[in-house]
Amino acid sequence: MTSRPGLRVGLTGGLGSGKSTVAAMFHDLGAQVLSADEIGRELMQPGEAVYRAIVAHFGPQVLKADGALDRPALARIAFAEGRAEELNAIVHPATIARQDEQAQAIFAQQPGAVVVVESALIFETRYGNGWRKRFDRLVLVTASEALKIARFVARSAGGNVADLEAEARRRLAQMIPDQDKAEQVDFLIDNIGSLAELQQQVQAVWAAFRT
């Protein structure tokens, strides 16, 4: 009996869609989950090449007193000042390369693993070899814009609600609309109901992965 080949899954969704919750559910079902955000944060630590490139490009205003990156300040520059693509050009290629390294290491140990890469910008990034070459399956988590904004505000620590809502809208406006992505993915998970309903959808997709 031949062993089942490994599967590379891209899991995406806009801000506030709930893709991290879906990723955790896939993990509980047995997937190996790689978070683009977590990898990006690791690469942006002092001493890393990405950190040095960010500081060289954006200047000392993106640093805290202790030398660490001031991520809120960097986010304001990237999103409010329209410089997100400059930041992406530094972070995305290194993040994709690290994802590929980690996936290869997983497959070397577990040839039949399901590796789920959670990333908000699978479609938006212009780096790497293209999402269809990087992934065997694509999953999109969706929700209404109002629900996405409400979730973003709820998870943000303090701050003015109107300002947070405006920030959420700015970020969502820079992403490809869900309806355009939905035509290109293999699986769609609609996260507008209860956790139990979400779990049912995740389990159905997981079953499809394993067939």
Side-chain angles (χ1 to χ4, degrees):
M1 180 177 177
T2 58
S3 60
R4 187 193 308 272
L7 196 68
R8 294 173 181 260
V9 177
L11 172 63
T12 194
L15 169 146
S17 62
K19 66 184 178 300
S20 294
T21 301
V22 170
M25 290 178 175
F26 278 132
H27 179 268
D28 290 343
L29 290 168
Q32 299 291 329
V33 176
L34 303 178
S35 167
D37 282 348
E38 290 181 7
I39 292 172
R41 280 194 289 269
E42 292 171 2
L43 294 173
M44 292 164 73
Q45 294 301 308
E48 294 282 349
V50 168
Y51 167 91
R52 293 192 295 271
I54 290 172
V55 176
H57 186 79
F58 290 98
Q61 69 267 29
V62 299
L63 292 177
K64 296 180 181 178
D66 63 1
L69 284 176
D70 185 338
R71 292 177 62 85
L74 186 59
R76 284 193 298 272
I77 292 172
F79 292 103
E81 298 181 16
R83 301 182 67 185
E85 190 53 39
E86 296 173 39
L87 179 61
N88 292 341
I90 297 171
V91 178
H92 285 183
T95 300
I96 289 170
R98 184 66 59 86
Q99 288 169 7
D100 290 343
E101 291 172 5
Q102 293 182 354
Q104 290 290 351
I106 292 169
F107 289 132
Q109 295 293 323
Q110 305 174 47
V114 175
V115 176
V116 174
V117 175
E118 176 201 349
S119 172
L121 302 175
I122 286 176
F123 284 90
E124 286 79 3
T125 184
R126 297 186 291 107
Y127 309 97
N129 293 321
W131 48 266
R132 266 301 175 197
K133 294 181 180 178
R134 294 177 55 219
F135 301 110
D136 304 305
R137 302 287 187 275
L138 281 174
V139 180
L140 173 65
V141 184
T142 66
S144 68
E145 181 169 306
L147 190 51
K148 290 178 181 177
I149 293 170
R151 288 171 178 161
F152 175 80
V153 172
R155 76 187 186 201
S156 299
N160 179 275
V161 171
D163 289 344
L164 290 171
E165 290 176 343
E167 175 66 15
R169 290 191 181 93
R170 275 195 298 269
R171 296 193 186 192
L172 288 169
Q174 295 184 20
M175 304 185 77
I176 297 170
D178 283 352
Q179 58 265 33
D180 294 341
K181 297 176 183 177
E183 300 173 354
Q184 304 179 68
V185 301
D186 301 288
F187 302 99
L188 191 65
I189 294 177
D190 198 7
N191 185 19
I192 60 173
S194 67
L195 278 176
E197 291 169 331
L198 183 63
Q199 181 75 60
Q200 288 179 345
Q201 294 182 74
V202 171
Q203 288 174 335
V205 173
W206 178 257
F209 289 166
R210 310 314 292 162
T211 57

